[in-house]
Amino acid sequence: MRVFVTGATGFVGSAIVRELIGAGHEVRGLARSEAGARALAETGAAVHRGDLQDLESLRQGAAGMDAVIHTAFIHDFSRFKENCEVDRRVIGALADALGSGRPLIVTSGTGLLPSGRLATEDDEVPASAAIPRIASEQAAAEASARGVDVRVVRLPPSVHGDGDHGFVPLLIGLAREKGLSAYIGEGGNVWPAVHRFDAARLYRLVLEKGTAGARFHGVAEDGVPFRRIAEVIGRRLNLPVMSLSGEDVAAHFGWFAHFAGIDNRATGHKTRDALSWRPEEAGLIEDLDRPAYFAT
């Protein structure tokens, strides 16, 4: 298949590009910069220059392709709500370009789902959810209602592996800055997790075997206790590991306090059964407990 990939030079997207090419698919990747374009070309993918703010460039990138995999997102948390609305418009533009009959795979997150119980692929994001990231699934639902073949992949808070620049490296940076590795309360809240290479295989399987309107969970581990993550970081940095509560939580974590305290129990068992997806890579704690995550 001919596949247009947004975020093709990113942490997850670059792994997807290599996975698709390795399976014999033809890839056109979105690149914002000249450096990104060169790196993408070296993988054997065709390069399409553009960015998420230029909807016409996205429509042109999707033109003539058999499918689109959308992984790009503007990771500027100081403008998080605005960037979520950008993603809403991007999904709408890609859906318009594809029309019916050609798959659009949209990226969302398990963190949108209700806490306190094990979330599954059958769970819908509550309409009352106050998290701006709900915009992506709302846009996917709107496109699906128009007859577009939309498939949603929900990724967990930690997609890990070499080159990770997400939540776990942020925690490592906070520990270095504050002089301690922290968790909230007893640290029993959990994050699901997946290795980037396992996630890449999932996107390929969703492309090849997925069905219109379906939701898939890229969850290799249902829930890793946050305290265990903090303990590995503390040991690797030779820093104290401490429980925080009250005002100390905001003082340490800042805007990240919500994510540090989230209890996001989620499963991908239905995804595994439907697509024969079998995660093979290292789990989060094993992967984190390596020098690569702490190189400076």
Side-chain angles (χ1 to χ4, degrees):
M1 296 178 70
R2 296 168 299 170
V3 188
F4 178 47
V5 179
T6 73
T9 61
F11 179 60
V12 176
S14 60
I16 293 172
V17 168
R18 292 180 182 276
E19 175 73 20
L20 292 175
I21 291 174
H25 297 287
E26 180 182 326
V27 176
R28 175 189 294 170
L30 181 69
R32 289 181 300 161
S33 67
E34 187 60 37
R38 287 196 300 269
L40 188 57
E42 288 174 0
T43 68
V47 177
H48 179 76
R49 294 296 298 270
D51 62 62
L52 298 185
Q53 300 283 7
D54 184 352
L55 298 184
E56 184 55 34
S57 75
L58 298 178
R59 294 187 186 98
Q60 292 172 1
M65 305 303 281
D66 298 314
V68 172
I69 296 178
H70 173 49
T71 69
F73 188 78
I74 303 173
H75 292 283
D76 176 1
F77 285 95
S78 68
R79 296 176 55 84
F80 184 58
K81 185 174 182 179
E82 293 91 333
N83 293 335
C84 290
E85 289 304 312
V86 169
D87 202 52
R88 184 195 299 274
R89 294 192 290 272
V90 166
I91 292 168
L94 292 171
D96 289 342
L98 283 174
S100 61
R102 293 183 290 170
L104 168 59
I105 301 174
V106 171
T107 302
S108 182
T110 63
L112 297 173
L113 302 176
S115 61
R117 62 176 177 81
L118 191 66
T120 76
E121 295 87 342
D122 292 333
D123 285 309
E124 296 185 3
V125 176
S128 59
I131 304 173
R133 195 71 167 90
I134 191 178
S136 301
E137 291 214 18
Q138 288 176 335
E142 291 165 3
S144 182
R146 301 200 308 271
V148 180
D149 178 354
V150 181
R151 309 167 189 184
V152 173
V153 174
R154 290 172 175 158
L155 294 178
S158 178
V159 180
H160 55 91
D162 289 346
D164 186 356
H165 53 266
F167 285 174
V168 168
L170 189 150
L171 288 171
I172 293 171
L174 280 173
R176 284 192 169 113
E177 176 188 345
K178 305 291 185 177
L180 64 92
S181 181
Y183 56 90
I184 300 173
E186 296 182 358
N189 61 298
V190 302
W191 283 3
V194 68
H195 193 284
R196 66 189 287 250
F197 292 155
D198 285 326
R201 283 190 284 274
L202 173 59
Y203 276 91
R204 175 177 61 80
L205 290 170
V206 171
L207 172 71
E208 295 171 348
K209 300 181 179 181
T211 55
R215 294 184 290 267
F216 302 93
H217 281 190
V219 174
E221 296 177 277
D222 292 359
V224 179
F226 193 88
R227 180 171 180 167
R228 291 191 65 197
I229 299 171
E231 287 171 342
V232 174
I233 293 172
R235 176 166 48 78
R236 280 284 179 177
L237 296 178
N238 195 28
L239 293 173
V241 180
M242 294 180 57
S243 169
L244 300 179
S245 61
E247 296 180 355
D248 291 337
V249 172
H252 181 89
F253 290 109
W255 64 268
F256 193 70
H258 166 76
F259 298 101
I262 194 172
D263 189 36
N264 185 213
R265 302 173 189 273
T267 178
H269 290 169
K270 291 188 176 182
T271 294
R272 298 186 194 202
D273 291 343
L275 303 177
S276 297
W277 177 56
R278 300 291 180 262
E280 302 171 351
E281 306 295 333
L284 174 57
I285 296 301
E286 179 186 352
D287 198 24
L288 172 60
D289 200 0
R290 299 181 300 121
Y293 259 96
F294 300 90
T296 57

